[in-house]
């Protein structure tokens, strides 16, 4: 039988580099026989650039986004030679690590749920024993920053209808509020600040759940979003300033200036006087504000430890360990998806809040050497494994290439 010839039809997605142009020539093939064609495994295709899967199952191309505008970051691979992002081939090793990092992030819920229980128990014992001075070891400014961060993230997840994340943030709000209540009882926090905090917190929780169940007017929710953006940007500089009082004079100037600037930016965004990029930046500020509020917690705690080292015994080593573990469990996921904001927040909290306070407690002889060594070794091994595994998944020779990818997200 004479050999038949045919012309390749045009590809749907984009042409393969290894195939000739459709119109360039014809290809001669041997006579057709049913047994000469191997079975095609549609989902197992290893061809990059062309998919045999149905259109509705194909993955969308990955696009580089800035850290401020990315709601659901997707993994990018940077070619070592051209430094251009290309779609990562979902190999078996990538899927395996992707599954494990998701499990790690889910497991982080447990230490976060238990985070404040040791501190609440210790505070209750000190209050019943009349040892109110021990509560001064817990800075109310640090707890307030964490509570406002939880409240901001609660609004973020309520808008996205992320039920499990909402529950975790709600429990974070409640547990932090209980600690602040204990501090007020022990006269370690001013009462006026506690009253204002109480109103904002419980109104915020109510609005978030009304919006989650579809019972809130869109205009009210929009106002709440603007409120937490302006409030977060106003509170953060004021808390930073207040942390270093009395070495800095008491003043509301940082908060007042930040309030005016934040309010102006929000009004301009709502009235259409900002560019599209500016509106996106304003929309992402609440998430970054929450992250920075959490990042300020170890700074406030370290400053308190420096001023009153004798009160470090009021800290709970279990709480610090849980903070380190909870945030550390999210580092692999944040690194894998190249979310710079998420990675920065959880890495900072794990290293400087959790481990940093354990280090301070060890220096003041409030924890044993064995506890400190075990904590140090565990943290180093976990971070080392995270970067090593991420480099393997992305095909890098150096684990530092993963950090390079993270910093490219903000460029």
């Amino acid at each position: 039988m004479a050999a038949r010839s045919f012309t390749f039809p045009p590809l749907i997605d984009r042409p393969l580099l290894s195939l000739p142009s459709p119109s360039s020539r014809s290809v001669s093939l041997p006579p057709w026989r049913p047994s000469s064609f191997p079975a095609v495994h549609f989902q197992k295709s290893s061809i990059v650039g062309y998919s045999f899967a149905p259109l509705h199952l194909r993955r969308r191309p990955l696009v580089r986004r800035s850290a401020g505008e990315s709601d659901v970051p997707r993994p990018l691979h940077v070619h070592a030679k051209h430094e251009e992002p290309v779609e990562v081939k979902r190999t078996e090793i990538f899927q395996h690590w992707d599954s494990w990092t998701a499990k790690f992030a889910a497991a982080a819920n447990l230490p976060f749920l238990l985070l404040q229980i040791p501190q609440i128990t210790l505070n209750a014992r000190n209050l019943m024993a009349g040892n109110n001075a021990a509560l001064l070891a817990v800075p109310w400014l640090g707890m307030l920053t964490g509570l406002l961060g939880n409240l901001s993230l609660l609004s973020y997840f309520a808008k996205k209808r992320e039920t499990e994340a909402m529950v975790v943030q709600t429990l974070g709000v409640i547990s932090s509020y209980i600690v602040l209540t204990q501090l007020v009882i022990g006269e370690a926090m001013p009462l006026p600040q506690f009253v204002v905090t109480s109103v904002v917190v419980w109104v915020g929780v109510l609005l978030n759940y009304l919006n989650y169940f579809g019972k809130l007017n869109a205009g009210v929710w929009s106002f709440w979003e603007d409120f937490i953006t302006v409030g977060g940007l106003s509170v953060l500089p004021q808390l930073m300033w207040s942390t270093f009082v009395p070495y800095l004079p008491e003043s509301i100037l940082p908060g007042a200036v930040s309030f005016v600037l934040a309010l102006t930016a929000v009004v301009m965004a709502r009235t259409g006087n900002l560019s599209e990029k500016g509106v996106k930046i304003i929309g992402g500020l609440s998430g970054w504000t929450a992250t920075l509020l959490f990042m300020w917690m170890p700074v406030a705690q370290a400053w308190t430890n420096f001023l009153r080292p004798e009160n470090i015994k009021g800290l709970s080593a279990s709480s610090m360990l849980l903070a380190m573990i909870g945030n550390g469990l999210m580092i692999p996921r944040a690194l894998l998806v190249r979310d710079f904001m998420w990675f920065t927040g959880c890495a900072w909290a794990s290293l400087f809040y959790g481990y940093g306070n354990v280090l301070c407690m060890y220096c003041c002889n409030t924890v044993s050497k064995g506890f400190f060594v075990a904590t140090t070794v565990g943290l180093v091994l976990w971070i080392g494994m995270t970067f090593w595994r991420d480099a393997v998944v992305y095909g890098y020779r150096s684990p530092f290439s993963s950090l390079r990818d993270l910093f490219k997200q903000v460029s």
Side-chain angles (χ1 to χ4, degrees), residues 67-101:
E69 61 181 296
S70 177
D71 286 337
V72 184
R74 298 181 175 86
L76 295 175
H77 177 68
V78 181
H79 194 278
K81 182 176 180 181
H82 301 289
E83 299 297 333
E84 291 293 336
V86 296
E87 187 174 0
V88 177
K89 187 170 118 177
R90 284 191 176 270
T91 59
E92 183 177 352
I93 187 174
F94 184 92
Q95 292 178 351
H96 182 72
W97 185 237
D98 177 74
S99 174
W100 273 107
T101 56

Side-chain angles (χ1 to χ4, degrees), residues 148-158 165 169 286-287 290-291 294:
L148 294 177
N150 285 126
L151 189 61
S152 297
L153 292 177
L154 175 61
S155 300
Y156 173 76
F157 289 119
Q169 298 303 325
S286 60
T291 301
F294 280 116

Side-chain angles (χ1 to χ4, degrees), residues 97 324 328 332 351 373-389:
W97 185 237
M324 187 190 77
L351 291 172
V373 171
T375 302
T376 303
V377 172
L379 181 61
V380 171
L381 290 178
W382 178 255
I383 294 178
M385 182 277 297
T386 295
F387 279 92
W388 167 76
R389 191 63 179 172

Side-chain angles (χ1 to χ4, degrees), residues 105-342:
N109 291 329
L110 181 59
F112 283 141
L113 293 178
L114 301 175
L115 180 61
Q116 296 295 346
I117 292 180
Q119 190 66 59
I120 292 173
T121 303
L122 182 60
N123 291 345
R125 290 176 181 174
N126 288 326
L127 287 174
M128 289 187 292
N131 187 18
N132 293 351
L135 273 69
L136 294 174
V138 184
W140 67 270
L141 286 174
M143 296 303 305
L144 181 59
T145 56
L147 187 149
L148 294 177
N150 285 126
L151 189 61
S152 297
L153 292 177
L154 175 61
S155 300
Y156 173 76
F157 289 119
K159 184 178 180 180
K160 297 186 65 178
R161 300 296 192 272
E162 295 285 349
T163 306
E164 295 177 357
M166 280 186 63
V167 172
V168 172
Q169 298 303 325
T170 302
L171 292 177
V173 169
I174 294 174
S175 61
S176 297
Y177 184 80
I178 292 175
V179 174
L180 289 179
T181 303
Q182 292 176 323
L183 296 182
V184 169
I185 296 174
E187 299 180 351
M189 178 181 180
L191 181 60
Q193 284 85 336
F194 176 76
V195 172
V196 174
T197 300
S198 300
V199 174
V200 173
V201 165
W202 295 119
V203 170
V205 171
L206 177 63
L207 292 179
N208 277 289
Y209 276 91
L210 287 176
N211 179 69
Y212 175 78
F213 290 108
K215 304 296 184 179
L216 189 65
N217 180 273
V220 177
W221 178 252
S222 178
F223 174 80
W224 170 252
E225 286 188 308
D226 293 341
F227 174 79
I228 60 175
T229 299
V230 174
L233 292 175
S234 303
V235 169
L236 181 61
Q238 187 63 48
L239 288 174
M240 291 179 173
W241 181 276
S242 300
T243 300
F244 301 105
V245 173
Y247 292 90
L248 292 177
E250 290 192 12
S251 174
I252 63 170
L253 183 61
V257 172
S258 301
F259 172 79
V260 173
L261 294 177
L263 183 61
T264 302
V266 168
V267 171
M268 292 179 64
R270 290 296 182 184
T271 56
N273 293 322
L274 289 180
S275 63
E276 182 179 355
K277 183 177 180 180
V279 173
K280 289 182 178 180
I281 293 176
I282 295 299
L285 282 179
S286 60
W288 269 108
T289 301
T291 301
L292 292 174
L293 284 171
F294 280 116
M295 291 175 65
W296 191 250
M297 290 180 65
V299 178
Q301 184 66 65
W303 183 248
T304 300
N305 295 343
F306 174 76
L307 292 179
R308 303 182 184 91
E310 69 279 2
N311 288 333
I312 291 181
K313 61 183 179 180
L315 291 177
S316 170
S318 300
S319 291
M320 299 301 106
L321 182 63
L322 287 170
M324 187 190 77
I325 294 175
N327 287 282
L329 284 172
M330 295 191 295
I331 292 178
R333 187 66 183 176
L335 182 63
L336 180 69
V337 301
R338 298 300 190 260
D339 189 325
F340 181 77
M341 181 177 68
W342 188 10

